[in-house]
Amino acid sequence: SPLMSIAMFFIIGMGIGASVLMSEFYGAGDMPRLRRQFATTLAMGAVFSAAIALLLFALAGPLLRLCRTPRAIFPDTARYLRIVAVGMVVTSMYNLLAASSRSIGDTFTPLVCLVAGSLVNVGLDLLFVARFAWGVAGAAWATVISQALSALLCAWLLRRNEPMLFAGQGDFKPDRALFGRTLRFSAPSALQQAGIYVGKLLVQSAVNPLGVSTIAAFNAVNRIDDYALIPERDIANGETVLVAQNHGAGKPERMRRGFFTA
């Protein structure tokens, strides 16, 4: 879990950085640059997530040994990690599409896709694990397939509901100048997001030698801890979009009000 979180939150951090630029262009009414930024964000996400997926797949064994994963669960853990790594590109695409949608004020589309993906995930878990008895591998494939469906649904809904992101005089294409700017905006956010889970990984490495029951208890509590962090994290994300849009629109007073309200 911490290994996947480091990889995934690095991509999410990139999405947060890119969405700031998208929100600013949207607030300024600069639709051509908004479309180029959207295309650049997706291209960057595809490249980085593919590279991370290859690394995770190739280094699954050494990384898990570094985390001192108990021998009893090592094969299942390695299998799960490799399968989820295969789905890293579609998982990152969903997160980047969702961040792009939120950057222009559409928070409903990502929510619909997330609910649909979650329901599919539960259904496939019951099918693959409970009925077909595929074990941990079944849970991993359920996650990958549900994330792929979420990404496809999000892309379809955005194309239908927010055509301004795609339409234009050839604007929907990666931009080299925006690539550099996106990287500058995204790097601090990506490192911050991933850094939190590096700390969790170090704690996990200390917990792993204590046995499977302790690992299960530690991860169960981590899930509860994640829920406790959701409100503050998402208020901050909403504030980021609001401030960036008003910065692009040249409305500093609304920026200040949004900041203090958050």
Side-chain angles (χ1 to χ4, degrees):
S1 176
L3 279 170
M4 286 307 305
S5 295
I6 290 169
M8 199 62 254
F9 276 89
F10 184 84
I11 299 294
I12 289 171
M14 279 181 50
I16 292 170
S19 70
V20 170
L21 291 171
M22 289 187 66
S23 295
E24 192 167 333
F25 296 148
Y26 180 71
D30 191 343
M31 296 301 126
R33 280 215 291 177
L34 173 65
R35 284 188 282 272
R36 291 200 300 275
Q37 179 61 57
F38 181 44
T40 302
T41 299
L42 295 181
M44 280 182 68
V47 170
F48 278 103
S49 60
I52 292 169
L54 285 170
L55 280 171
L56 278 175
F57 191 90
L59 300 176
L63 285 170
L64 292 173
R65 279 190 287 274
L66 194 64
C67 296
R68 303 159 78 189
T69 305
R71 191 173 298 176
I73 59 171
F74 194 96
D76 275 342
T77 310
R79 192 176 300 117
Y80 187 94
L81 184 57
R82 287 193 176 103
I83 293 169
V84 178
V86 167
M88 176 64 71
V89 174
V90 292
T91 304
S92 67
M93 281 299 105
Y94 164 72
N95 282 287
L96 293 174
L97 286 165
S100 300
S101 180
R102 293 186 195 103
S103 73
I104 58 172
D106 180 3
T107 58
F108 186 69
T109 294
L111 177 63
V112 168
C113 299
L114 183 64
V115 170
S118 297
L119 292 173
V120 169
N121 200 345
V122 171
L124 291 177
D125 274 333
L126 292 171
L127 182 66
F128 294 164
V129 181
R131 186 173 179 81
F132 294 164
W134 289 356
V136 167
W141 281 117
T143 299
V144 170
I145 293 168
S146 63
Q147 288 283 359
L149 290 173
S150 293
L152 288 170
L153 179 61
C154 198
W156 179 72
L157 287 173
L158 276 177
R159 187 69 187 256
R160 192 189 72 172
N161 300 335
E162 307 292 348
M164 64 178 175
L165 286 174
F166 301 90
Q169 303 299 315
D171 295 323
F172 184 69
K173 59 185 178 183
D175 184 296
R176 186 175 295 179
L178 285 175
F179 184 93
R181 194 177 176 198
T182 304
L183 205 56
R184 288 197 302 276
F185 266 72
S186 299
S189 178
L191 290 171
Q192 177 194 356
Q193 295 287 327
I196 294 167
Y197 284 90
V198 170
K200 286 195 172 190
L201 181 62
L202 295 173
V203 177
Q204 182 85 55
S205 300
V207 168
N208 283 349
L210 302 177
V212 174
S213 296
T214 307
I215 293 169
F218 175 74
N219 282 291
V221 172
N222 262 328
R223 294 292 176 269
I224 297 168
D225 188 43
D226 288 341
Y227 274 101
L229 293 173
I230 285 170
E232 61 191 71
R233 186 184 68 205
D234 289 334
I235 289 170
N237 289 343
E239 176 200 1
T240 301
V241 171
L242 181 67
V243 169
Q245 284 185 357
N246 282 285
H247 184 266
K251 297 181 177 179
E253 180 53 38
R254 287 196 87 227
M255 287 170 63
R256 281 190 288 272
R257 281 166 48 207
F259 172 72
F260 286 115
T261 301

